Amino acid sequence: MTKPIERILVTGALGQIGTELVAALRARYGTERVVATDVREAPQAFRESGPFHTLDVTDLAALEDVTTRYRIDTVFHLAAVLSATGEKDPVRCWEINMRGTMNVLRTGVARGMARILIPSSIAVWGKGVPSPAPQESALKPTTMYGVTKVAGELLGDYFVRRFNLDVRGLRYPGIISAETFPGGGTTDYAVAIYYDAVRYGRYTCFVREDTRLPMMYMPDCITAIIDLAEADFASLKHHCDFNVGSMSFSAGELAASIRRHIPDFTVEYKPDERQIIADSWPDEVDDSAAREEWGWRPRYDLEAMTADMLAKLREKHARGEI
Ligand code: SER
């Protein structure tokens, strides 16, 4: 049976997805019902916008303390080290991603929680994956981040079977947004290109022009996880590994879409070590299971996203924020 969502905790709340998810959850469920946490101290404006706690997800006692204090029944567990940062210190990536996930799942069982949401990623796949990447396929990631995401999916599914805990997750593609800059991912070029187009009219891209990856605009990213959280448990055949697609484009096509608004925009391509990671991920994904089981349907395509990103970043630029 699907239990109601009453009091929510978000980990990694100061990250790219966290900042916007917290705002969306507070608008939907009420500010006081959504406790934002992050290992970093929050800026004053964020602290004043609703309940906030510093929380290291690898600290089980601290996690138990905050979930007990606020009688939390639902966790959106976003705290993770991403792919490019993970390759710089793979042991730390494993430690934070796996211990964090295990701690959240253990606390979920101990407190009889209603729901745990744990995003996964296109990083679960490795070189040679068919395109579009099928829902059911061999998962052979080549990054430590990908290894932890595969293990996290399996762990979540295990907790569903073994402990009857309601755990759900989806494999996000690269996420593009104008609010908070992403940290340490391979798909960060698809965000940075907009910032530099607005600020400088030129961008040095760390992947090749023909690099094609699945991507998603933030409003769809937020809708996806909230819709999955609110789906009826009985309608789900999958749990922690839903493919979610939205759009797919090459770095060159992305630059061309920006050039339709900023005709003089130029891009130089200087691939670095992140090219190898990008090359190991699929171009696009088959998300028919998400569409069938919980009604997934993205709204934004590349053109609509580019128009919205540029409008938002031009405003920020005019205010001197970027
Ligand atoms: N955007 C992430 C990264 O690049 C993928 O999940 O690491």
Side-chain angles (χ1 to χ4, degrees):
M1 202 200 63
T2 312
K3 294 187 196 166
I5 295 172
E6 304 276 4
R7 267 172 285 274
I8 300 169
L9 182 113
V10 179
T11 72
L14 295 179
Q16 184 197 13
I17 298 175
T19 47
E20 298 200 42
L21 180 63
V22 165
L25 290 171
R26 284 181 175 160
R28 194 167 177 84
Y29 293 97
T31 300
E32 295 308 314
R33 287 172 185 250
V34 181
V35 180
T37 69
D38 199 283
V39 71
R40 292 169 289 171
E41 185 50 75
Q44 194 178 347
F46 194 89
R47 277 203 317 271
E48 285 170 358
S49 69
F52 177 83
H53 275 265
T54 52
L55 174 68
D56 176 353
V57 291
T58 65
D59 182 344
L60 180 62
L63 181 64
E64 282 172 344
D65 184 53
V66 70
T67 51
T68 304
R69 188 150 19 128
Y70 286 94
R71 291 178 292 133
I72 297 295
D73 54 58
T74 300
V75 178
F76 287 76
H77 177 45
L78 306 181
V81 173
L82 295 193
S83 60
T85 311
E87 288 315 284
K88 294 205 172 81
D89 190 345
V91 175
R92 176 173 169 270
C93 177
W94 172 270
E95 185 63 19
I96 292 174
N97 294 7
M98 295 319 304
R99 192 177 295 278
T101 297
M102 181 59 101
N103 283 348
V104 167
L105 292 169
R106 284 174 68 176
T107 307
V109 173
R111 292 199 45 79
M113 282 193 196
R115 206 92 84 254
I116 308 278
L117 277 296
I118 307 178
S120 183
S121 160
I122 52 168
V124 295
W125 288 291
K127 218 162 168 44
V129 58
S131 188
Q135 178 65 49
E136 313 299 340
S137 60
L139 303 175
K140 299 197 171 203
T142 49
T143 60
M144 180 55 89
Y145 173 68
V147 170
T148 66
K149 285 297 171 188
V150 172
E153 288 181 1
L154 295 173
L155 207 52
D157 283 344
Y158 176 83
F159 271 68
V160 174
R161 275 196 311 275
R162 178 72 171 75
F163 298 108
N164 228 359
L165 185 66
D166 185 342
V167 192
R168 307 173 183 197
L170 69 189
R171 293 170 176 157
Y172 277 139
I175 303 297
I176 294 166
S177 64
E179 176 73 27
T180 305
F181 201 78
T186 301
T187 55
D188 293 9
Y189 68 89
V191 181
I193 193 170
Y194 286 106
Y195 277 72
D196 282 7
V198 168
R199 284 186 293 204
Y200 315 123
R202 69 190 130 74
Y203 176 60
T204 305
C205 185
F206 60 77
V207 296
R208 281 189 323 270
E209 187 172 5
D210 64 352
T211 305
R212 178 179 297 278
L213 285 173
M215 300 279 177
M216 183 181 288
Y217 196 33
M218 185 61 87
D220 283 326
C221 165
I222 299 297
T223 304
I225 199 161
I226 293 179
D227 283 359
L228 175 59
E230 293 181 351
D232 185 1
F233 186 80
S235 65
L236 303 181
K237 295 187 198 81
H238 297 83
H239 297 287
C240 297
D241 61 357
F242 282 103
N243 288 1
V244 281
S246 171
M247 54 182 107
S248 171
F249 49 76
S250 68
E253 288 163 357
L254 174 57
S257 87
I258 295 174
R259 221 169 278 123
R260 284 192 270 283
H261 298 258
I262 306 173
D264 294 337
F265 177 52
T266 56
V267 180
E268 198 183 349
Y269 297 91
K270 283 195 179 163
D272 66 13
E273 68 285 351
R274 289 168 283 190
Q275 182 71 54
I276 298 163
I277 301 177
D279 287 343
S280 75
W281 293 348
D283 297 356
E284 50 182 322
V285 304
D286 171 4
D287 60 4
S288 44
R291 288 173 185 263
E292 279 159 28
E293 294 176 40
W294 49 276
W296 163 240
R297 199 162 301 278
R299 288 186 301 134
Y300 280 85
D301 61 11
L302 176 56
E303 294 314 317
M305 174 173 76
T306 293
D308 201 53
M309 277 294 283
L310 292 177
K312 289 204 164 84
L313 291 177
R314 277 171 166 153
E315 278 174 26
K316 278 189 151 187
H317 193 51
R319 292 196 299 265
E321 290 170 17
I322 62 165

